[in-house]
Amino acid sequence: MRKLFYLLLMLPLVAVSQGNEAFLLNLTEVTVKQGHDAQFIEGVKSWKKCYKDNDGKDPWNMWKRVQGEGSVYTLTSRMANWAEMDEDGDPAGKECRMTAVNFIMPHVKSMHYNIARSMPDVSTKSTSQDSKLVWVYNAKTSNSNDFTDVVKELTSALKKAEGDSRGTWYSLQGGSPEVADYFVAIPYKNFAELDIDRDGVWKVYEKANGKAKTDALRAKMRASISSDWSYIYSLNEELSY
């Protein structure tokens, strides 16, 4: 599946248990042509059926971005290591390649592929299987060392206060100039969970360390970031496998 999407990127355009080991996350962002959302969805359904009928083994999740311009989907899948890129497997993906070419690609405006590595030392250890939303905060850094120092401080405070950090952190493995350097994905069961009032991470840190230290750490983080942004993504189970 991940290799099929990688191959499609070369064509002209017409949340599993994570444990304590780092893994690689494949991210394929798809921007759908205006007015083509229904056709794109039907194309992915046809592709999923073909993949299932051919006994495909590689799972994936399909997320739809809630905010922002246009209709944007992100397909995610995992690899244990880089060596998986050398494998010549996934015959189901090869069998269904033309289904994607004929029924998905005509409705795609653009595709953007990235790979991120998880950061287990600062990430949640929980294995929630019923998360239907993720809030993703992205940061492009001007000082990577300072930024990761701040992340370690904040997640350490969360772990002491709550027993775990709230999300999974990733570092991007290369990419184009506009791609984030780091992002964190915070899971939610549904939209209603967003209404639950709880202390933000800075408030948690301030309660443990005081205002002066919090202000200094916040200033260090601001100085280490050149830009940041966030989106909510909703899981489309019908398009996932």
Side-chain angles (χ1 to χ4, degrees):
M1 177 54 57
R2 57 181 173 272
K3 290 184 179 179
L4 176 57
F5 258 94
Y6 183 78
L7 288 170
L8 289 177
L9 289 172
M10 302 298 105
L11 293 171
L13 285 178
V14 261
V16 181
S17 175
Q18 88 181 35
N20 295 323
E21 298 296 325
F23 59 88
L24 294 171
L25 183 71
N26 294 286
L27 300 133
T28 303
E29 184 180 273
V30 181
T31 301
V32 178
K33 291 179 180 178
Q34 186 174 359
H36 287 242
D37 204 58
Q39 297 96 317
F40 172 79
I41 289 171
E42 289 305 312
V44 175
K45 287 180 181 177
S46 297
W47 175 38
K48 176 181 174 179
K49 181 179 185 303
C50 177
Y51 195 74
K52 183 177 180 180
D53 290 346
N54 283 276
D55 198 28
K57 303 298 184 185
D58 290 341
W60 72 84
N61 282 328
M62 184 73 84
W63 304 85
K64 185 171 185 182
R65 196 176 73 187
V66 175
Q67 312 103 313
E69 181 180 357
S71 183
V72 178
Y73 294 81
T74 297
L75 181 147
T76 62
S77 63
R78 293 188 180 191
M79 299 187 296
N81 49 47
W82 287 102
E84 288 193 26
M85 297 292 287
D86 293 324
E87 296 175 4
D88 194 29
D90 199 18
K94 295 177 182 178
E95 189 68 27
C96 299
R97 182 174 182 271
M98 293 311 298
T99 300
V101 170
N102 292 329
F103 298 105
I104 296 178
M105 297 308 292
H107 311 295
V108 171
K109 179 180 178 181
S110 64
M111 297 178 71
H112 197 161
Y113 178 67
N114 284 292
I115 300 176
R117 181 181 292 278
S118 70
M119 303 166 65
D121 289 347
V122 292
S123 296
T124 179
K125 300 299 187 291
S126 65
T127 56
S128 176
Q129 300 294 316
D130 55 355
S131 299
K132 301 298 186 290
L133 296 174
V134 287
W135 192 310
V136 180
Y137 167 77
N138 302 270
K140 191 162 184 61
T141 61
S142 54
N143 189 318
S144 177
N145 289 335
D146 281 356
F147 180 81
T148 54
D149 284 347
V150 173
V151 170
K152 290 174 184 176
E153 285 277 330
L154 292 175
T155 55
S156 176
L158 279 173
K159 290 175 181 179
K160 288 179 181 178
E162 302 178 0
D164 199 359
S165 61
R166 295 178 180 178
T168 302
W169 279 93
Y170 298 88
S171 62
L172 272 292
Q173 306 296 289
S176 58
E178 68 273 14
V179 173
D181 294 310
Y182 298 93
F183 69 89
V184 59
I186 303 169
Y188 293 89
K189 292 180 181 178
N190 48 40
F191 283 102
E193 238 192 346
L194 296 173
D195 292 323
I196 297 174
D197 189 21
R198 63 175 178 175
D199 287 339
V201 62
W202 289 107
K203 179 59 68 176
V204 172
Y205 187 85
E206 183 176 339
K207 286 181 177 179
N209 297 280
K211 188 175 186 305
K213 191 171 181 179
T214 302
D215 288 346
L217 192 67
R218 193 194 295 266
K220 182 178 180 179
M221 186 172 197
R222 285 174 177 166
S224 72
I225 296 174
S226 57
S227 62
D228 61 352
W229 62 96
S230 65
Y231 290 110
I232 298 170
Y233 293 84
S234 176
L235 178 67
N236 188 317
E237 295 181 273
E238 197 172 17
L239 303 185
S240 301
Y241 181 69

